[in-house]
């Protein structure tokens, strides 16, 4: 069962709760998906059952079409945030990590056509492989200027920088807190750069984050 942990693997004393995500937060990703730039952040939630350890082999659902990778900066929330100010958000962030927002792409496309919610495409079991978290106080670089990337079988598939977000981290979390109370142990995903694509059984993945990397494979 998934538990939050730090980058070295030590367990963190935070409960495992929901994951609040944003779609369409990088311009080049919006372009590759053929979408329109939203007027405000597009929010959706993954349940806690979507979380799994990024270091463990990924077990993905079968028979539901292509599953696409979306590498994202992840933020661990440490205090309750409700209608939060910028300063409250800054104080409420306890860690940064990297995650894969896995997406049943064909399921999502059908849901979009009919204007239905995305949860089936985004919230399935193991849809959010998560790294360990680097404590915010120990994060040497600017989280808003951090390199993200994904290699599959040794080839780059996604490369981006968090400075390219349409809605930056702090105002994004403040916006989320207008609609959803964020509690200790909640995780925020901040959007993906361009280069999303399908995963296949047997793929070897290397997720790159702020000069560090996490390796895993698809079962």
């Amino acid at each position: 069962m998934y538990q939050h942990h730090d980058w070295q693997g030590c367990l963190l004393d935070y409960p495992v709760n929901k994951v609040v995500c944003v779609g369409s937060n990088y311009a080049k990703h919006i372009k590759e998906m053929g979408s329109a730039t939203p007027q405000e952040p597009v929010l959706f939630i993954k349940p806690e059952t979507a979380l799994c350890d990024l270091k463990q082999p990924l077990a993905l659902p079968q028979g539901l079409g292509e599953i696409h990778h979306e590498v994202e900066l992840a933020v661990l929330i440490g205090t309750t945030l409700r209608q939060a100010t910028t300063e409250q958000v800054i104080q409420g962030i306890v860690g940064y990590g990297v995650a894969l927002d896995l997406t049943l792409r064909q399921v999502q496309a059908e849901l979009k056509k009919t204007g239905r919610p995305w949860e089936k495409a985004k919230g399935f079991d193991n849809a959010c492989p998560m790294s360990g978290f680097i404590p915010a106080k120990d994060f040497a670089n600017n989280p808003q200027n951090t390199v993200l990337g994904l290699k599959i079988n040794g080839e780059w598939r996604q490369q981006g920088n968090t400075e390219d977000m349409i809605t930056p981290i702090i105002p994004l979390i403040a916006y989320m807190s207008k609609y959803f109370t964020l509690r200790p142990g909640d995780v925020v995903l901040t959007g993906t750069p361009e280069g999303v694509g399908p995963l296949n059984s047997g793929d070897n993945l290397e997720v790159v984050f702020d000069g560090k990397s996490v390796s895993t494979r698809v079962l």
Side-chain angles (χ1 to χ4, degrees), residues 114-167:
T114 54
R116 289 180 287 168
W118 296 358
E119 273 73 12
K120 287 194 295 184
K122 291 284 194 177
F124 56 91
D125 289 355
N126 299 334
C128 191
M130 183 71 61
S131 77
F133 290 93
I134 300 169
K137 62 182 178 61
D138 297 333
F139 200 82
N141 297 320
N142 180 359
Q144 201 61 72
N145 187 11
T146 295
V147 172
L148 297 172
L150 173 65
K151 289 182 179 180
I152 300 182
N153 302 322
E155 296 183 2
W156 283 107
R157 298 294 178 87
Q158 289 189 265
Q159 288 181 278
N161 192 302
T162 58
E163 69 179 356
D164 296 325
M165 290 179 186
I166 294 171
T167 304

Side-chain angles (χ1 to χ4, degrees), residues 30 81 118 121 158 181:
I30 293 171
L81 297 175
W118 296 358
Q158 289 189 265
T181 295

Side-chain angles (χ1 to χ4, degrees), residues 1 3 46 57 73 76 80-81 89-90 92 94 101 106 110 124 130 134 137 140 165 169-170 173 175 177 186 196 214:
M1 182 178 292
Q3 292 180 277
K46 292 176 182 272
L73 177 78
L76 180 63
T80 298
L81 297 175
V89 171
I90 293 170
V94 293
D101 169 14
Q106 289 146 304
E110 289 301 315
F124 56 91
M130 183 71 61
I134 300 169
K137 62 182 178 61
M165 290 179 186
I169 298 164
I170 302 303
I173 295 174
Y175 178 85
S177 77
D186 283 352
V196 304
V214 183

